[in-house]
Amino acid sequence: MNGHLQPEEQQNQRPKQELTWSWGHGPKNSPDRAEAMAPPPPPLAASTPLLHGEFGSYPARGPRYALTLTSQALHIQRLRPKPEARPRGGLVPLAEVSGCCTLRSRSPSDTAAYFCIYTYPRGRRGGRRRASRTFRADGAATYEENRSEAQRWATALMCLLRGLPLPGDGEITPELLPRPPRLLLLVNPFGGRGLAWQWCKNHVLPMISEAGLSFNLIQTERQNHARELVQGLSLSEWDGIVTLSGDGLLFEVLNGLLDRPDWEEAVKMPVGILPCGSGNALAGAVNQHGGFEPALGLDLLLNCSLLLCRGGGHPLDLLSVTLASGSRCFSFLSVAWGFVSDVDIQSERFRALGSARFTLGTVLGLATLHTYRGRLSYLPASVEPASPTPAHSLPRAKSELTLTPEPAPPMAHSPLHRSVSDLPLPLPQPALVSPGSPEPLPVLSLNGGGPELAGDWGGAGDAPLSPDPLLPSPPSSPKVASLSPITEGPPEMPASSGLPPPTSGAPATSTWGPPDHLLPPLGSPLPPDWVTLEGDFVLLLAISPSHLSADLVAAPHARFDDGLVHLCWVRSGISRAALLRLFLAMERGSHFSLGCPQLGYAAARAFRLEPLTPRGLLTVDGELVEYGPLQAQVHPGLGTLLTGPPGCAGQEP
């Protein structure tokens, strides 16, 4: 076995992160957070060996391996019975690893210890499949020594996954790992043609259990249910809120956080999204930010779940939208008018088709193409962004176009931490409580261990393995009745699979939140430094992140925290064929390079839209809102998005 830590002085340096507070030591107030966001030290070289050792396999009669752990991958080389010149599966990028655990044999005479890693490699056709590898630490005479070695490797691997520094003195013990973060999962069971619930049970919960995350899950029952829940949430009990649905559920969560009297603290709650809906625009941007290839459906869900397991947050710009009535809501995605909003709303009747509803809606929209007269005014970005790459170059047209920015260097991620969860579940299935919760389910034992491994890896004559917890057990939780995170708002009702899908309608609006200092009252004159365009438009889109849907890159150079709203419009006079070419090119983010004279773009800090056509549809993050004049401004970095580390998939083979 002879595992040892390589004597490198750089081992005590933290890998490059977006927000540099570590998972388990996240500051709760703004001064601490600002101090923690100081520039991190240089990251470890990707090829620097951190651990090296010899291990057996499970079953015990299998081959023996030499393992080398670096900051980017686990290298596996077979030693016996015959070394492989080109080992298959010999490189396991950490971007494909969800977690690991230590195990012990149920045979009292077995002195070996085991550690298992859970991976999701891509298959030959590109899709991910779950796999696990179990290694046998057997170089010492006693179980205690072997267990210490297995725990050392598992601890080092988990530290790398969570962005935690390794000590330079060689002392790698489980105490380096903080308690797991505490996540509240909200799932819309009707999302993705009703697949959301099945995907959640079959893929998401097992993966985050393998990662050692603590969670509770609630099924939403109706529109604005998630909003009501987070309005009454005791924020100190949670480290993140993750939605399993399309973009609509996250819209409810963010607006619920901002519609609290303590919104300034509430909006700091990190939020995440696991795509189980039809649009999945933000998930597409998260997938790209993580360095993965474009993906749809289950592949996109697995990619985003892997990133969630790694931890790490990124500042998220939010758009404050004031509607004609004076009410206000907050957007993380887009404001749309014309063709895009028409397709979004009119395709609701095809929701059973999943993401294909937008394809059918686009075909029908092209067949009945409308134009809308209106006035667009915007406050240009104070500093013009740098020119884009040639592939995404934008033609200047009539001095109304600014250029998209170059992608900024990624910052570092901010892991999170909390302990077990105590939210009362409205569901009858006890399987929806994480392993650290008061009533763990045997099937989801620590990190997904025990019973599953016994079935997957047990051979004739080999005793099955049982979980050997890497972390000490958390202290017993107080009774749910004495400490419930839901302190106000309507009581929760048991979920029912017979409920109809949520009906569309105007979303609730926010009465709290930051002031819009860039916007004069709606209807009053605009300052002279604003630019105004008036004419007939086919569509107008104001978008914050890069993606309009999982496979449409509307603003290729947009970032989560660039402080900009990206305005795209198409004037009348464009042919149906040309409009179709724009949307086809948008799949690659190359639509601005087509040289379409009707296509316009501007980067802005605020804008006002005044429809001059009496009838039409306006949407905010895909939700239908009242028709009429509206205005909005960007609030840079107001929220925090769980994204995983930037470009962590860049080492994928």
Side-chain angles (χ1 to χ4, degrees):
M1 182 172 57
N2 299 324
H4 61 278
L5 184 68
Q6 298 296 322
E8 292 287 341
E9 292 182 356
Q10 288 182 321
Q11 288 177 11
N12 60 357
Q13 294 177 341
R14 178 189 299 277
K16 188 174 183 182
Q17 298 177 335
E18 293 178 1
L19 299 178
T20 58
W21 41 283
S22 64
W23 197 334
H25 303 89
K28 294 296 184 180
N29 54 60
S30 298
D32 290 340
R33 185 178 299 229
E35 181 180 351
M37 291 179 68
L44 284 169
S47 59
T48 302
L50 302 176
L51 287 176
H52 181 78
E54 180 180 328
F55 292 86
S57 60
Y58 181 79
R61 293 177 302 281
R64 295 192 67 79
Y65 299 98
L67 303 185
T68 303
L69 181 64
T70 71
S71 62
Q72 297 292 335
L74 177 67
H75 300 260
I76 306 172
Q77 181 182 8
R78 191 173 71 184
L79 300 176
R80 293 192 293 274
K82 181 180 179 181
E84 296 175 294
R86 294 183 178 180
R88 292 183 300 172
L91 177 66
V92 180
L94 298 191
E96 295 179 348
V97 178
S98 61
C100 66
C101 70
T102 55
L103 304 156
R104 69 175 301 174
S105 173
R106 293 176 185 168
S107 171
S109 61
D110 189 354
T111 60
Y114 302 81
F115 75 94
C116 176
I117 62 172
Y118 304 98
T119 66
Y120 290 80
R122 292 183 299 183
R124 294 180 179 178
R125 298 183 179 180
R128 296 198 180 276
R129 55 180 176 82
R130 182 189 181 278
S132 57
R133 301 286 296 268
T134 303
F135 299 98
R136 174 185 174 100
D138 54 5
T142 65
Y143 169 73
E144 287 71 21
E145 292 176 284
N146 290 325
R147 179 176 185 258
S148 176
E149 184 67 10
Q151 287 190 337
R152 193 158 72 103
W153 276 76
T155 300
L157 185 57
M158 290 302 295
C159 284
L160 292 176
L161 290 176
R162 296 185 176 182
L164 298 172
L166 292 175
D169 56 6
E171 291 295 326
I172 301 178
T173 63
E175 286 70 26
L176 291 174
L177 293 173
R179 296 291 185 183
R182 183 190 231 175
L183 301 179
L184 174 60
L185 308 182
L186 301 177
V187 59
N188 173 12
F190 306 105
R193 295 177 294 171
L195 290 175
W197 182 233
Q198 291 300 320
W199 283 0
C200 176
K201 290 192 299 182
N202 297 339
H203 302 285
V204 174
L205 298 188
M207 186 187 292
I208 64 177
S209 295
E210 293 161 1
L213 304 183
S214 177
F215 65 89
N216 269 145
L217 184 148
I218 296 178
Q219 284 186 355
T220 59
E221 305 168 9
R222 60 187 181 277
Q223 189 175 28
N224 285 320
H225 186 191
R227 182 189 181 102
E228 296 165 4
L229 285 173
V230 300
Q231 281 179 305
L233 201 64
S234 177
L235 298 178
S236 62
E237 300 301 319
W238 305 97
D239 292 299
I241 302 173
V242 179
T243 62
L244 290 85
S245 184
D247 296 308
L249 199 58
L250 186 59
F251 177 85
E252 290 188 23
V253 168
L254 284 169
N255 278 274
L257 292 174
L258 281 157
D259 198 23
R260 295 169 51 119
D262 62 342
W263 65 267
E264 291 180 272
E265 286 300 316
V267 76
K268 297 176 185 177
M269 172 67 67
V271 297
I273 187 166
L274 296 180
C276 296
S278 50
N280 303 324
L282 188 63
V286 170
N287 182 74
Q288 175 178 283
H289 177 269
F292 289 116
E293 294 294 324
L296 295 172
L298 182 58
D299 290 336
L300 178 63
L301 174 64
L302 293 177
N303 287 354
C304 291
S305 299
L306 280 171
L307 292 170
L308 178 68
C309 290
R310 298 290 298 273
H314 196 288
L316 178 67
D317 295 342
L318 296 179
L319 197 65
S320 169
V321 184
T322 302
L323 305 175
S325 63
S327 59
R328 194 168 67 144
C329 61
F330 290 87
S331 161
F332 64 88
L333 181 58
S334 66
V335 176
W337 176 52
F339 185 82
V340 173
S341 57
D342 292 349
V343 169
D344 203 357
I345 298 303
Q346 293 174 3
S347 66
E348 284 282 345
R349 51 183 167 159
F350 309 123
R351 183 171 285 275
L353 300 177
S355 60
R357 65 179 255 221
F358 297 112
T359 303
L360 180 56
T362 300
V363 172
L364 295 178
L366 287 170
T368 59
L369 192 61
H370 298 287
T371 60
Y372 300 87
R373 186 157 191 83
R375 184 182 301 117
L376 171 66
S377 304
Y378 62 90
L379 175 63
S382 55
V383 178
E384 183 172 306
S387 298
T389 58
H392 299 130
S393 58
L394 301 176
R396 276 195 184 274
K398 301 179 181 178
S399 301
E400 62 184 37
L401 205 60
T402 56
L403 299 182
T404 56
E406 285 279 13
M411 298 169 61
H413 70 289
S414 69
L416 304 171
H417 157 68
R418 271 289 293 176
S419 58
V420 298
S421 154
D422 51 29
L423 184 67
L425 292 175
L427 299 172
Q429 298 94 331
L432 305 181
V433 186
S434 70
S437 295
E439 297 180 1
L441 185 73
V443 175
L444 292 181
S445 54
L446 182 68
N447 291 341
E452 179 187 9
L453 281 172
D456 288 350
W457 295 93
D462 288 286
L465 305 178
S466 60
D468 184 11
L470 188 62
L471 296 174
S473 300
S476 58
S477 298
K479 296 293 184 180
V480 169
S482 63
L483 177 60
S484 172
I486 303 297
T487 58
E488 55 183 303
E492 296 175 26
M493 301 296 291
S496 170
S497 59
L499 290 174
T503 57
S504 60
T509 54
S510 297
T511 55
W512 302 89
D516 295 327
H517 63 282
L518 298 178
L519 298 174
L522 191 60
S524 63
L526 292 168
D529 54 345
W530 284 55
V531 177
T532 298
L533 312 173
E534 184 172 333
D536 294 324
F537 297 89
V538 171
L539 66 87
L540 188 142
L541 179 67
I543 189 166
S544 297
S546 55
H547 285 57
L548 181 59
S549 68
D551 56 350
L552 289 179
V553 188
H557 301 281
R559 304 190 311 274
F560 297 122
D561 62 341
D562 57 15
L564 302 173
V565 56
H566 302 270
L567 302 175
C568 308
W569 61 86
V570 174
R571 291 183 177 273
S572 63
I574 190 172
S575 67
R576 290 178 173 83
L579 184 60
L580 180 59
R581 282 195 297 270
L582 281 180
F583 277 93
L584 291 176
M586 199 179 291
E587 294 180 1
R588 304 177 301 277
S590 60
H591 47 296
F592 290 114
S593 64
L594 296 180
C596 176
Q598 290 86 16
L599 175 63
Y601 169 86
R605 300 168 61 202
F607 73 93
R608 176 183 289 180
L609 172 62
E610 299 170 273
L612 303 178
T613 301
R615 298 182 62 182
L617 298 175
L618 281 170
T619 59
V620 175
D621 293 0
E623 303 291 329
L624 185 65
V625 297
E626 59 186 282
Y627 188 70
L630 62 78
Q631 61 184 17
Q633 83 161 67
V634 179
H635 292 277
L638 183 60
T640 300
L641 180 65
L642 293 169
T643 60
C648 76
Q651 300 295 322
E652 280 195 310

